[in-house]
Amino acid sequence: MSQRSVSAPASVAGTAAPTTVVDFVMPSLGADMEEGAVTEWLVSVGDRVARGDIVVIVETEKADIDVEVWNDGVIVELLVEPGRSVAVGTPMARLRVEVAGDGTGPTGHPSDEGPTAPSPIDDGTPVDGTPLDTDPARRQRTAAIAPPDRAAVPARVDRTPASPLARRLAATRGLDLAAVAGSGPGGAVVARDLGGEPADREPPTPDPSERMRRAIADLMSRANRDIPHYHLAETIDLEPSLAWLERVNVDRPLRQRILPAALLLRGVAAALAANPELNGFWVGGRFRPGDGIHLGVAIALRGGGLVAPAIRDADRLDLVETMSALRQLVERARAGRLRGSEMSSATATVTNLGDHGAEVVNGVIHPPQVALIGFGRIETRPAVVGDEVVPRRLVIATLAADHRASDGQRGSRFLNDLRRHLSRPEEL
Amino acid sequence: MTGTDPQLDRQIVVDAIADVAPDVDPATVEADEDLWYALELDSMDQLRVMTAIGERTGLDIPERDFPGLLTLDDLTAYVTARRAGP
């Protein structure tokens, strides 16, 4: 959860719903993260935000992450100026949110309701992208001059969507934002589209690949020190599935082609659903089941290192949706544009070595998760089918699991289920 | 299509790779070397490169052709042949 309440619900006179101010804190974007640096705010004081909006880009040891907000509300104050690094849990911004009618206050949990309706005094006047003021006294004043309840919905229809920093950069460099292809949320222009941050900003540590290496080293050392791993393997005949996939792909244009990797992920999600002891976390000396099946996908970065962002609710996606989610995840990971919710939520991780990988991977679990599923290279090998030895495309699936949370019998059942699902592709 | 130019076709292939993997340099690969292996491009990268070539040329490259397209020479010859084809 990225927010905690800092003040008791306070009623606002008149017709407006009662509101309270909550902190938007630096989220944990992975088990290996201790601190993060604010690269760029995509919102200004007074902006109205909806749950799921990307509001800030945070730089971690591993990547630039687009971080979403978990409440509907209005930005009251930005507390961390770009370039500054703060520990996980440190408030980064303050947000005024409406309190639920039952008086329980904002929870940060998903809500089925849409964005909060604008208040009656909202006249829709555009609010300019006020640059983040780093002078604390002035910042206080800005917040006071523009009380959040009165803040209007930013009307941005008549101009190029852009972050405040990008706006400032464009102004100082005399650039036309409308002429720039935006890569931010909803095509918004962000600082990186203009050739990066101002020159007066130093990255927190000079060598990103070294920081990435150190983050992986810390996490994997912890895994091997704390987790009693057990390892199981199962050879799976993919011939029927791959033949089926080829038939499906014949009719699909290139952009919609489905890769075997998507099939494997679907199989894992289905098998995890039947074996919940492998889907979740070991925390505080006991197993906590995941709040859904969010599959971390290990993605190698060509510059070195790897990230494992999650495909959320992977068990609820069909094959086409899984492929689309995987494609987007890989593209964003390679471009360094992952989202906070993807980095923090994996309940189990899949590593797929791909065409050029080794035959078998005996993985290391990403704590606090309790299982890592690995796939080696798909290879044509002799297999016994009926009474004959025939060439078939096989893959060796492995499970690394936390012996504190499950036993080999459960692990074997999981691999069995996986094999069964992967032999019935039309059901995936 | 008004004639084809292998030089241009090679450029299309190189540009498509650069599109998908701006962090690799196709110039470091021999024309007859397995470029997917040499440049550490996985199946997702491969699909994206084929898609990018398709978008530049209007060709639809069926998956069954992928296994034969391993080198810059393979890809260039394939694009040239398909563009000249019926």
Side-chain angles (χ1 to χ4, degrees), chain B residues 42-57:
Chain B
D42 61 20
S43 56
M44 181 69 79
D45 296 319
Q46 185 185 30
L47 179 57
R48 292 170 63 204
V49 168
M50 298 301 189
T51 306
I53 293 174
E55 279 164 2
R56 283 172 157 74
T57 58

Side-chain angles (χ1 to χ4, degrees), chain A residues 150-172:
Chain A
R150 300 184 60 100
V153 177
R156 290 191 164 153
V157 284
D158 58 336
R159 57 177 199 176
T160 311
S163 76
L165 178 57
R167 236 169 251 299
R168 206 165 58 212
L169 282 176
T172 54

Side-chain angles (χ1 to χ4, degrees), chain A residues 103-119:
Chain A
T104 53
T107 61
H109 285 306
S111 141
D112 291 333
E113 293 156 25
T116 317
S119 64

Side-chain angles (χ1 to χ4, degrees), chain A residues 245-246 249-250 252-255 257-261 302-303 323 326-327 330-331 334 355-356, chain B residues 20-21 23-24 36-37 39-45 47-48 50-51 55 60-63 66:
Chain A
L245 201 55
E246 278 148 23
N249 278 335
V250 162
R252 302 179 74 80
L254 269 175
R255 272 226 145 266
R257 206 134 317 159
I258 299 164
L259 289 171
R302 268 183 290 271
M323 179 63 199
L326 177 64
R327 185 174 193 137
V330 171
E331 284 179 13
R334 296 258 160 87
D355 309 338
H356 309 311
Chain B
V20 169
D23 46 346
V24 305
W36 311 113
Y37 194 81
L39 296 177
E40 296 179 37
L41 299 174
D42 61 20
S43 56
M44 181 69 79
D45 296 319
L47 179 57
R48 292 170 63 204
M50 298 301 189
T51 306
E55 279 164 2
D60 183 57
I61 307 175
E63 202 163 66
F66 285 17

Side-chain angles (χ1 to χ4, degrees), chain A residues 24-213:
Chain A
F24 172 60
V25 305
M26 175 66 74
S28 171
L29 303 167
D32 47 354
M33 173 173 165
E34 282 166 12
E35 60 171 41
V38 169
T39 299
E40 184 178 4
W41 285 102
L42 305 179
V43 292
S44 306
V45 169
D47 280 359
R48 188 172 285 277
V49 295
R51 195 183 82 84
D53 283 357
I54 295 164
V55 295
V56 63
I57 300 174
V58 167
E59 182 185 345
T60 70
E61 282 89 349
K62 292 195 157 186
D64 277 357
I65 311 292
D66 294 339
V67 176
E68 306 100 323
V69 69
W70 287 91
N71 287 107
D72 297 340
V74 174
I75 302 290
V76 181
E77 198 178 357
L78 303 180
L79 302 169
V80 180
E81 61 266 33
R84 237 185 79 202
S85 199
V86 296
V88 168
T90 308
M92 294 195 290
R94 307 182 75 218
L95 191 67
R96 182 165 292 278
V97 300
E98 284 187 11
V99 180
D102 59 7
T104 53
T107 61
H109 285 306
S111 141
D112 291 333
E113 293 156 25
T116 317
S119 64
I121 47 174
D122 186 348
D123 61 2
T125 309
V127 173
D128 256 323
T130 317
L132 176 61
D133 197 335
T134 50
D135 172 353
R138 286 235 308 279
R139 199 171 62 210
Q140 209 58 46
R141 216 159 53 234
T142 310
I145 290 166
D149 323 281
R150 300 184 60 100
V153 177
R156 290 191 164 153
V157 284
D158 58 336
R159 57 177 199 176
T160 311
S163 76
L165 178 57
R167 236 169 251 299
R168 206 165 58 212
L169 282 176
T172 54
R173 296 176 188 177
L175 299 170
D176 179 10
L177 283 173
V180 179
S183 69
V189 177
V190 295
R192 61 192 171 214
D193 300 323
L194 302 171
E197 312 89 29
D200 58 354
R201 266 202 48 219
E202 287 283 322
T205 328
D207 184 354
S209 74
E210 194 187 317
R211 279 186 292 130
M212 162 84 79
R213 206 59 254 162

